[in-house]
Amino acid sequence: MATLPSAVASVAITLRSQPDGAEIYWNDQKLGNAPGPLYLPQGEQAQTLLVRAPRYTPSRVVVVPSQDRTVTVVLVPRAPRPSGTVVPSDLENPY
């Protein structure tokens, strides 16, 4: 888990994810896995977190790290890739 220098005021973000254990990134740096807590510098400017898990579409979550908070994100499963099914050449066309 990434941490900030002790001189920087920080807030704890608890990120509950579906699926459990999703990876959380901020500024292209992995902060850790959900649920955390993850620590961001305290401030009023919105920050974007990237949430990723295998076989799920990544999602971005915007948080304002003004105070400790809990955020919930539900990732959407990726559509299965086509299996590459081959139609037999001797299959009769009904039309």
Side-chain angles (χ1 to χ4, degrees), residues 4 6 20-21 40 46-47 65 75-76:
L4 301 171
S6 59
D20 293 331
L40 294 176
Q47 302 293 324
L75 299 179
V76 177

Side-chain angles (χ1 to χ4, degrees), residues 38-88:
L38 312 165
Y39 297 94
L40 294 176
Q42 185 175 22
E44 297 298 324
Q45 185 174 354
Q47 302 293 324
T48 301
L49 302 175
L50 175 65
V51 184
R52 296 178 17 184
R55 297 180 306 278
Y56 287 82
T57 301
S59 181
R60 297 188 187 282
V61 177
V62 177
V63 296
V64 176
S66 57
Q67 62 185 8
D68 294 350
R69 64 182 68 239
T70 298
V71 179
T72 301
V73 62
V74 177
L75 299 179
V76 177
R78 288 187 183 149
R81 293 184 178 182
S83 64
T85 304
V86 178
V87 178

